[in-house]
Amino acid sequence: MAHKDDVTRVLAACTACGSIYAARQWPDGEIRVIGQESCSCGSTDFELVEDSDDDSEVGPDEG
């Protein structure tokens, strides 16, 4: 089992329908959604959502 420091919190997208979930990424690359076993569509295959610089243009008082 991985140590707590080895696991990172990420955003993950379902590869079947594109739904986004909070997830944990394990040192071996496995991604598991937090709080459930699968997507609402039934898929258990997720991919990491990459950070986008587009969101950095909105300030804390905007949007």
Side-chain angles (χ1 to χ4, degrees):
M1 176 171 247
H3 294 285
K4 183 178 177 182
D5 294 337
D6 296 335
V7 179
T8 54
R9 287 184 59 131
V10 297
L11 287 178
C14 173
T15 58
C17 73
S19 294
I20 305 293
Y21 293 92
R24 291 189 175 99
Q25 185 174 32
W26 301 86
D28 64 0
E30 179 183 3
I31 297 173
R32 287 193 242 163
V33 292
I34 296 172
Q36 57 195 65
E37 294 294 317
S38 64
C39 178
S40 58
C41 75
S43 175
T44 57
D45 191 24
F46 298 91
E47 62 187 5
L48 185 65
V49 174
E50 298 295 328
D51 288 335
S52 172
D53 291 338
D54 294 341
D55 294 337
S56 64
E57 295 178 13
V58 177
D61 296 330
E62 299 174 11

